[in-house]
Amino acid sequence: MYAPKHRGHSSQQHHNTDEGMGAAANGHGHRARPAPRRAKLKVLLLVIATSLVSVYLFSGASLSVHIPASAPRIHLWDSAALLRDLNATRAALAGARAELAALRAQCNASSYLLESVLAGLGAVHGDTPEAKDFGGWPEEPLGELKLAIEPHRLPLGFHANFGTDELFPGLGFACRNFQEELAQYMTYNVSGECPEDDALALQLALKGCEPLPRRRCRPREPARYAEPAPLPRSLWAVPPDTTVRWAPYTCKNYTCLVQRARTRGGPYFCKDCFDLEGKERRRWQADNGGPGFSVDSVLRSRAPGTVRIGLDIGGGTGTFAARMRERNVTVVTTTLDLDAPFNRFVASRGLVPLQLTLMQRLPFADGVLDIVHSMNVLSNWVPDAVLESTLFDIYRVLRPGGLFWLDHFFCLGPQLNATYVPIFDRVGFRRLRWKAGRKLDLGAERNEWYVSALLEKPMT
């Protein structure tokens, strides 16, 4: 209902108006009364105002809109107090950082003063001064070695992903113990040809100086290089001699390496590995009476197609990877060029070599491999602590349900239950298969044993 526009209407007009309203209300009038427009407008304004208040409150607009102090405010939370607390916290952190920097400066100054006092006392007593320490190096690094081991400042400053404003080189901790050899390795002509020092690099790596620093030189390649054979023929083909630089090795061709399998004695590592038509051709083909498994029997322990990628630790010339490649499984082979071009040979077969020593952390993320295999490398010649750390690292890179095939682990009889079984149990593998047998190649009186085990990383 709304008020009339003019107050001077007669009673008859009021009577007619009331009759018209009554007729409209009873549905008997010829025309309905118009809707109350002002009421609709008020509802619309109320909806708009409510929406604006909601947007204002929940979008945090109160943090950026300046409202006069005299204006009334509605506080669902005290945003101004939160801002004050945040600013106070930032100020406190900045002050703490400044104080920490000052303390570091004072410590450095105190250390320098103490060293000066001790040096003065030593001079008074006639002590021989010690050689100056250059960041932990007994002699000041020079040339390419200095370039390789020092940090390099990032051109764009601090990087959040790195958490620093410098790039630090990857250099083995033990390299500090062999600075003379490392300086020799890093002495070369920049942009020229690298020296023939493969044996030096390998010796440094075996001493724990790994990873070695990068070098700005080009390795010498063999003359008259020949393309490798195509797959799958390359898996069982000895490559041409022209694919290798033979200077670092005792043998100067592959014929010599193949014939080593037929010689007695000799300090050769895996001396029959290059004879692809001999024992190497028969490996992992069948489950025999000895402590070994076949590739097919191991793969049958998993659902078809679920073993896809893996690692072979100490795989020699890559025959295990070749067997798995024939079954559509990709396996990376770790191997070392111990007086023979193992890495080149693996690559010539169309497989992936990885030069890696036993002490190095496996270069894989957690839980990414379906299978890890190792034959003969992990045995009682490895210190117990190193062996246990290696087994935990293998556990780390395997996915849940992944397989660890420990192949021909050898040890003395008393060591098996007293030392190694407890280590395997501590790592947490679940046993799927376990076979043990006597190792008789060096005589029964030595009481040596082989153990082959198929172990599973439990499902989570």
Side-chain angles (χ1 to χ4, degrees):
M1 182 175 291
Y2 54 91
K5 293 183 180 180
H6 303 285
R7 297 182 181 273
H9 288 271
S10 64
S11 59
Q12 182 64 36
Q13 288 174 322
H14 282 284
H15 177 73
N16 294 338
T17 301
D18 292 340
E19 287 181 352
M21 291 176 63
N26 295 328
H28 300 297
H30 298 285
R31 187 179 61 176
R33 184 179 60 84
R37 296 179 180 177
R38 289 187 179 180
K40 287 185 176 181
L41 182 59
K42 289 180 180 179
V43 171
L44 179 60
L45 290 176
L46 180 61
V47 171
I48 293 174
T50 304
S51 300
L52 289 176
V53 170
S54 300
V55 171
Y56 173 79
L57 291 177
F58 294 102
S59 66
S62 61
L63 299 179
S64 59
V65 177
H66 298 284
I67 302 175
S70 59
R73 299 183 183 183
I74 300 175
H75 290 284
L76 295 184
W77 62 82
D78 195 347
S79 59
L82 289 175
L83 280 177
R84 287 195 300 270
D85 291 343
L86 179 60
N87 292 333
T89 302
R90 287 175 177 171
L93 286 174
R97 290 194 185 100
E99 186 177 355
L100 180 60
L103 289 174
R104 285 177 176 170
Q106 292 177 7
C107 289
N108 291 336
S110 300
S111 298
Y112 179 77
L113 180 61
L114 180 59
E115 289 176 0
S116 300
V117 171
L118 291 176
L121 290 175
V124 170
H125 292 284
D127 296 338
T128 303
E130 294 184 358
K132 185 176 180 181
D133 181 65
F134 300 94
W137 295 86
E139 297 181 7
E140 183 178 8
L142 302 173
E144 287 295 292
L145 178 59
K146 182 180 179 68
L147 178 70
I149 68 176
E150 289 191 342
H152 297 269
R153 190 168 296 278
L154 293 171
L156 302 181
F158 180 86
H159 197 291
N161 290 343
F162 300 149
T164 177
D165 60 353
E166 293 179 311
L167 282 181
F168 293 86
L171 188 69
F173 175 79
C175 291
R176 297 176 182 272
N177 300 327
F178 307 103
Q179 184 180 355
E180 184 176 346
E181 293 95 326
L182 188 62
Q184 180 184 346
Y185 176 74
M186 293 302 293
T187 301
Y188 57 89
N189 295 323
V190 176
S191 298
E193 192 175 75
C194 296
E196 291 273 10
D197 56 1
D198 303 65
L200 174 62
L202 181 59
Q203 283 300 313
L204 281 167
L206 291 173
K207 290 176 180 178
C209 180
E210 63 173 353
L212 286 170
R214 290 171 172 168
R215 300 198 295 189
R216 298 187 294 166
C217 59
R218 303 179 188 88
R220 186 177 301 175
E221 297 297 339
R224 302 183 305 278
Y225 179 82
E227 292 284 338
L231 283 166
R233 182 162 58 89
S234 64
L235 290 176
W236 300 101
V238 176
D241 293 336
T242 54
T243 58
V244 176
R245 292 182 298 107
W246 294 98
Y249 312 118
T250 302
C251 280
K252 303 304 178 185
N253 51 59
Y254 277 121
T255 301
C256 172
L257 291 174
V258 171
Q259 290 177 348
R260 287 200 316 198
R262 301 173 180 85
T263 61
R264 291 186 177 182
Y268 304 123
F269 169 74
C270 194
K271 69 177 185 177
D272 56 354
C273 289
F274 293 91
D275 185 10
L276 299 184
E277 297 301 324
K279 185 189 296 184
E280 201 74 359
R281 187 80 179 201
R282 301 187 295 272
R283 292 191 191 278
W284 302 292
Q285 287 287 74
D287 270 347
N288 51 35
F293 310 136
S294 70
V295 165
D296 292 324
S297 67
V298 169
L299 292 179
R300 282 195 297 269
S301 68
R302 305 287 89 175
T306 59
V307 178
R308 306 151 301 155
I309 53 175
L311 172 69
D312 187 19
I313 300 176
T317 56
T319 295
F320 178 81
R323 288 288 178 215
M324 299 297 274
R325 176 68 174 77
E326 292 172 331
R327 292 155 177 81
N328 297 319
V329 180
T330 300
V331 169
V332 175
T333 301
T334 74
T335 189
L336 296 173
D337 291 338
L338 295 171
D339 198 28
F342 285 93
N343 280 274
R344 291 263 184 170
F345 193 82
V346 172
S348 72
R349 300 178 76 174
L351 307 168
V352 182
L354 182 64
Q355 185 152 283
L356 195 72
T357 65
L358 188 62
M359 289 295 292
Q360 195 166 347
R361 184 177 187 264
L362 296 176
F364 301 97
D366 297 359
V368 297
L369 300 182
D370 300 315
I371 187 169
V372 174
H373 172 266
S374 182
M375 178 176 179
N376 290 339
V377 173
L378 299 179
S379 294
N380 67 349
W381 72 273
V382 180
D384 295 348
V386 175
L387 175 64
E388 185 167 347
S389 297
T390 302
L391 294 175
F392 270 104
D393 206 25
I394 291 170
Y395 188 96
R396 176 185 65 82
V397 300
L398 282 171
R399 64 169 174 81
L403 298 174
F404 174 40
W405 182 353
L406 183 62
D407 197 354
H408 283 74
F409 177 93
F410 62 84
C411 63
L412 298 177
Q415 292 178 311
L416 183 57
N417 291 324
T419 302
Y420 296 117
V421 170
I423 290 177
F424 298 145
D425 292 341
R426 281 197 297 272
V427 175
F429 286 111
R430 187 171 74 89
R431 295 187 193 180
L432 300 181
R433 298 178 68 182
W434 182 280
K435 292 173 67 175
R438 296 292 297 274
K439 180 179 179 294
L440 301 174
D441 57 328
L442 298 179
E445 67 279 0
R446 294 175 65 93
N447 192 21
E448 293 182 327
W449 286 75
Y450 275 130
V451 174
S452 287
L454 186 61
L455 309 173
E456 178 190 52
K457 180 176 180 177
M459 296 289 291
T460 54

